Amino acid sequence: MAYLRDRIELLFFVVSAGLLVGGGGAWLLGWYPAAALVWALGTVLGLVFAVAWVAGALRRGQASVDVIAVLALGGALWVNEPFAGAMITVMLGTGRLLEARAQARARRELSLLVERAPRTARRRVRGGVESVPVEALAAGDLILVGTGEVLAVDGRLLSAGILDESALTGESLPVERAVGEDVRSGVVNAGAPIDLMATAAAADSTYAGVVRLVEQAQAASAPFVRTADRFAVFFVPLTLVLAGAAWAISSDPVRAVAVLVVATPCPLLLAAPIAVMSGLSRAASIGVVVKGGGALERLAAGRVALFDKTGTLTRGQPTLADTITAADTVDADEILRLAASLDQVSPHVLASAIVTAATRRDLELDMPENVREEHGYGLLGTVGGHEVRLGKAAWIAPGSEPGWVRQVRRRADLDGSLTVFIAVDGEPAGAFLLEDPVRPDAPRMIRALRGAGISKIVLVTGDRADIAHTVGRIVGVDSVRADCDPGEKLRVITDESSSAATIMVGDGVNDAPALAAAGVGVALAARGATASSEAADIVLTVDRIDALADAILIARRSMGIGLQAVQVGMGLSLAAMVAAAAGFLAPAAGAILQEIIDVLAIGIALRAVIPGKSHTINMAPADIATAHRLKSQHDAVAAVVEQIRAVADTLSARDNDLAPARLLLHRLETELLPHERADEELLVPIVARALGGSNATADMSRTHAEIEHLISRLHRLLGGLENDARPEDIIELRRLLYGLYAILRLHNALEEEGAFSLVPDDRPQARNPAPAAPITLRKAKDPRTNLHPH
């Protein structure tokens, strides 16, 4: 239907322009009767279309300024001004064509995703590979994705891959993804064939959600109610009164027709919808799907932003926070490697967190064997000759609860963390604490929203008050409303909406009512489709919430440009109407002048297509590559940071064994310190260039100096101690280690927020990627659905 409408608009413009030019050619040749006839045909053509548009508006119960065009065209025929009528017809055709092109551009930005949707996938089965419809895929299936193919479902990589994620993120460079990383459907395999384990069914995957969102956005924005219709209530009566007065005073109907000709505002007032459509297109290009011009207008008007916590200000996915060992002799990296090796074949979100942590630390994973689940307890399998169990504490350490388990439970309760325990060869080995961390880009996004004109930011969450207030303080919101069920969220939104236009941001099923109730609802759907996406007016398909601030800037700029185009065009048109009423403009001259005014107004509106102010940080490719390399080192030394606290915890005045502390010092000097020096030498200048000044990196440089100072003190302290360390020496050593640990935790958080969150998630493509090796795995369901934080 949209295609047919676009073709009719194009045909109308071409025929009307052809009649105008044809009549002009006949007039130049002196064939005046033929010229008048051709122009009259053009006038009649415009009159037929204008009458049809007015009739359609009346059927929809809408006012329409096209009635002025009907009167102007009819008047031009009545007073024998066919050239003016033909010019009006061309104006109508020009405006309609520009509107159709703007709508088509917005549809095209969205429809590119739909057109790429895969229909089939290749699933590995015993003895080979079979081609199946994407609807038949389920979580746990093993899928082979060939070069150039689109990933049909969300999944976890079982072999390293190079992916083109531009369709979802807008980033043009291919991205390297390691074994164990989660990837989204809709991206293209730009390298060698890869193996993927599905973590969601096709209907629940990211791509299916995006397709549904696109369909909603297209339905919401078509048909588009033209901004011109809003002015019909006062503009049409004003025009008729002025035209009637000119006729009554001069007794010359030509003056009335001249007023109607210069008052024909269809292309002029289409300038605002053109600006809005350009805004929709710009927003779609940065990964923000806006469901129609009305949603864009409400986004521009928003002054109060309300955020859910989980998945918006936090990552929404568990991340490994710490590894606690059952004894000093257990190596934390080794039990993480064993756990991640076993979890490779589990589609559970907790398994993904453990696998991701291991791959970021560059731990070499083995493929597990004999994997099976113990329903309600955990996962069991063999890794490198060791029997590995993952799951509940009661299964890992049955009987009386040892002290280290109580420590794990206490820390989990204080931090609101999840726990996964591990046993190796039948012996309890440790536990993993998993938490939902604050997004590194969240504080920067909050500051960007304030810069975009948001005056108040509220955190509204159903989570515990202590956790909610902690997140609120970190990201910098104005107020926190915790322990809210969906009904209480609605009440908060109602209260805030009574004083200012609201924007609600969420990504969970329980956010859907709040998103629907707010002035404009914004859903994050980068990791899949949820009920919140269906209820929202605006959907972010990229996993960067700072895109919201850019969307607000786009919305305000588009609406401002549209209003400017209307004000300039209408002001000039009103002046021309007065001149025509006074007899200074003939209908033909008025038609030419009106065309010039319309072109000027539409030209102003088309400025909305040009990119405006943005919070996007531009970095050189070499800087991006360097930052990604430093980020990998940053993740790899996380285990050293956690070892600091573990060593400090085990220090005792009764047992003055300093061997663990000396081993830690060696790792600090050979692993962590070189990384911090590389950050100071390479990362700090990159951030300074990106943000435009060294003031933005002062905190990073200061903490780098403090870290080096504390490690130097630790070196001198241990160098002056023998094995007969006194109790006061142990106390000083413990104090120094805890201080170093606190500084490093704060420093790492600052680097995540102020440096690494600025870097786009695109890594240079490998020159000679190794082909993916074929695999044969047994599917294993994850039994840890019932894991609790305690």
Side-chain angles (χ1 to χ4, degrees):
M1 189 66 181
Y3 175 78
L4 178 61
R5 185 170 60 249
D6 292 346
R7 303 304 295 178
I8 292 175
E9 306 291 4
L10 177 61
L11 182 62
F12 175 47
F13 169 75
V14 170
V15 173
S16 63
L19 291 173
L20 178 66
V21 172
W27 188 85
L28 291 174
L29 293 173
W31 302 340
Y32 302 120
L37 177 61
V38 173
W39 285 334
L41 289 175
T43 305
V44 171
L45 175 67
L47 185 60
V48 170
F49 272 85
V51 169
W53 295 333
V54 171
L58 292 176
R59 283 196 303 270
R60 295 191 297 270
Q62 299 170 354
S64 175
V65 292
D66 287 328
V67 68
I68 298 177
V70 172
L71 295 175
L73 290 165
L77 291 175
W78 178 38
V79 300
N80 195 28
E81 289 282 355
F83 172 76
M87 181 66 75
I88 293 172
T89 300
V90 172
M91 284 191 290
L92 294 175
T94 302
R96 290 284 175 162
L97 181 63
L98 286 172
E99 182 185 26
R101 286 292 178 266
Q103 289 179 334
R105 176 182 176 133
R107 286 196 303 268
R108 184 170 61 252
E109 294 280 359
L110 300 176
S111 299
L112 287 176
L113 295 173
V114 180
E115 294 169 359
R116 298 170 59 259
R119 301 291 183 266
T120 61
R122 289 184 287 173
R123 181 171 60 189
R124 288 190 180 273
V125 295
R126 189 179 300 276
V129 175
E130 63 177 1
S131 181
V132 297
V134 293
E135 295 81 7
L137 297 176
D141 283 346
L142 304 179
I143 303 166
L144 175 65
V145 184
T147 302
E149 293 182 359
V150 177
L151 275 64
V153 293
D154 295 348
R156 184 175 307 128
L157 289 175
L158 299 175
S159 57
I162 300 172
L163 305 178
D164 175 4
E165 301 182 351
S166 58
L168 296 181
T169 66
E171 298 293 346
S172 59
L173 297 177
V175 180
E176 290 186 18
R177 296 296 184 191
V179 174
E181 285 198 62
D182 288 332
V183 293
R184 293 179 288 167
S185 57
V187 304
V188 178
N189 179 17
I194 57 176
D195 283 294
L196 180 78
M197 183 185 64
T199 55
D204 300 324
S205 291
T206 300
Y207 209 71
V210 169
V211 170
R212 287 195 291 270
L213 295 173
V214 168
E215 292 169 348
Q216 289 180 14
Q218 290 175 337
S221 60
F224 190 91
V225 179
R226 292 178 296 158
T227 305
D229 298 337
R230 300 180 185 179
F231 295 90
V233 175
F234 73 89
F235 191 75
V236 172
L238 174 64
T239 301
L240 295 178
V241 168
L242 188 58
W247 189 356
I249 294 173
S250 66
S251 300
D252 184 1
V254 175
R255 288 196 184 185
V257 172
V259 171
L260 294 173
V261 168
V262 296
T264 305
C266 296
L268 163 65
L269 296 181
L270 282 172
I274 288 172
V276 171
M277 283 297 183
S278 299
L280 297 178
S281 176
R282 288 284 308 139
S285 69
I286 64 170
V288 181
V289 178
V290 182
K291 299 178 182 178
L296 191 76
E297 186 173 0
R298 294 194 300 277
L299 180 65
R303 290 297 180 269
V304 176
L306 303 100
F307 283 85
D308 180 47
K309 179 182 73 69
T310 304
T312 53
L313 298 181
T314 64
R315 289 190 183 276
Q317 291 181 320
T319 300
L320 182 66
D322 197 3
T323 302
I324 299 177
T325 58
D328 297 342
T329 56
V330 178
D331 182 77
D333 278 354
E334 178 60 15
I335 63 173
L336 175 59
R337 188 189 72 83
L338 293 173
S341 296
L342 180 60
D343 263 340
Q344 287 181 100
V345 296
S346 171
H348 198 278
V349 64
L350 296 183
S352 176
I354 291 174
V355 174
T356 298
T359 55
R360 285 182 175 176
R361 296 184 186 182
D362 295 327
L363 302 180
E364 185 175 347
L365 306 185
D366 296 328
M367 198 55 64
E369 299 175 346
N370 304 320
V371 179
R372 70 177 188 274
E373 69 169 302
E374 295 291 334
H375 186 67
Y377 291 98
L379 197 65
L380 174 66
T382 303
V383 178
H386 297 283
E387 181 192 80
V388 180
R389 294 188 181 195
L390 292 173
K392 293 183 175 180
W395 189 47
I396 300 302
S400 59
E401 194 173 83
W404 70 272
V405 174
R406 289 195 297 273
Q407 179 191 9
V408 170
R409 291 186 183 278
R410 181 166 57 251
R411 284 190 54 188
D413 182 56
L414 291 173
D415 298 337
S417 304
L418 295 170
T419 58
V420 177
F421 290 82
I422 179 173
V424 180
D425 295 328
E427 293 295 326
F432 306 103
L433 288 175
L434 301 107
E435 63 182 22
D436 183 16
V438 175
R439 285 176 176 263
D441 58 333
R444 184 161 57 89
M445 183 271 300
I446 295 295
R447 294 191 293 270
L449 286 177
R450 297 192 191 280
I454 299 299
S455 59
K456 184 178 181 181
I457 300 174
V458 183
L459 172 57
V460 186
T461 178
D463 212 338
R464 288 167 21 188
D466 57 339
I467 296 175
H469 281 282
T470 298
V471 173
R473 283 192 296 270
I474 291 173
V475 301
V477 301
D478 295 307
S479 62
V480 176
R481 300 290 295 271
D483 297 311
C484 292
D485 60 26
E488 290 169 328
K489 287 185 178 182
L490 284 178
R491 285 192 289 274
V492 173
I493 291 173
T494 301
D495 292 342
E496 296 293 344
S497 298
S498 63
S499 59
T502 54
I503 301 171
M504 174 67 194
V505 186
D507 83 329
V509 173
N510 65 335
D511 295 324
L515 294 174
V520 58
V522 180
L524 278 73
R527 287 186 296 271
T530 66
S532 63
S533 302
E534 309 294 332
D537 304 292
I538 297 170
V539 180
L540 305 186
T541 61
V542 293
D543 198 22
R544 294 183 67 90
I545 55 174
D546 54 358
L548 175 60
D550 284 337
I552 292 175
L553 291 176
I554 289 172
R556 291 188 176 161
R557 182 171 182 268
S558 300
M559 301 307 299
I561 287 175
L563 181 60
Q564 184 185 64
V566 169
Q567 290 173 337
V568 170
M570 285 195 67
L572 294 175
S573 289
L574 287 172
M577 289 165 63
V578 172
F584 296 115
L585 275 179
I592 295 174
L593 177 61
Q594 184 60 58
E595 180 72 8
I596 295 172
I597 294 173
D598 292 339
V599 170
L600 174 62
I602 291 171
I604 293 174
L606 288 174
R607 290 165 44 230
V609 177
I610 303 172
K613 180 182 178 182
S614 171
H615 295 97
T616 303
I617 303 296
N618 295 316
M619 291 187 178
D623 286 349
I624 293 174
T626 300
H628 278 302
R629 187 175 71 251
L630 294 172
K631 179 62 169 65
S632 297
Q633 297 173 7
H634 174 89
D635 294 332
V637 299
V640 183
V641 176
E642 293 305 322
Q643 187 182 352
I644 297 173
R645 185 174 65 181
V647 170
D649 288 343
T650 58
L651 284 173
S652 170
R654 294 186 298 273
D655 181 8
N656 58 3
D657 182 13
L658 299 179
R662 297 186 191 281
L663 178 60
L664 170 64
L665 176 62
H666 176 73
R667 294 193 68 184
L668 290 172
E669 293 180 331
T670 59
E671 298 178 41
L672 187 138
L673 202 52
H675 166 67
E676 301 300 337
R677 288 169 177 166
D679 277 351
E680 181 64 27
E681 179 184 353
L682 301 174
L683 184 62
V684 167
I686 288 174
V687 175
R689 285 193 293 271
L691 299 181
S694 59
N695 290 337
T697 60
D699 292 342
M700 289 174 54
S701 294
R702 179 65 184 87
T703 51
H704 282 149
E706 185 64 20
I707 289 167
E708 184 145 6
H709 169 64
L710 291 176
I711 293 176
S712 175
R713 289 191 61 192
L714 180 62
H715 180 95
R716 293 198 305 273
L717 177 61
L718 288 175
L721 294 178
E722 301 297 335
N723 291 331
D724 58 346
R726 298 179 179 181
E728 57 268 27
D729 296 327
I730 299 298
I731 293 173
E732 176 63 19
L733 178 58
R734 187 189 297 121
R735 187 190 67 81
L736 184 57
L737 289 176
Y738 282 138
L740 177 60
Y741 175 75
I743 290 292
L744 279 166
R745 285 294 298 265
L746 176 61
H747 169 70
N748 288 345
L750 288 173
E751 277 193 344
E752 291 279 354
E753 175 189 335
F756 295 124
S757 70
L758 304 177
V759 184
D761 191 16
D762 57 317
R763 283 155 257 177
Q765 179 174 340
R767 294 184 178 180
N768 297 302
I775 59 171
T776 53
L777 296 176
R778 292 179 56 187
K779 289 190 297 182
K781 297 180 180 179
D782 193 293
R784 291 166 294 152
T785 305
N786 299 320
L787 282 176
H788 298 288
H790 305 293

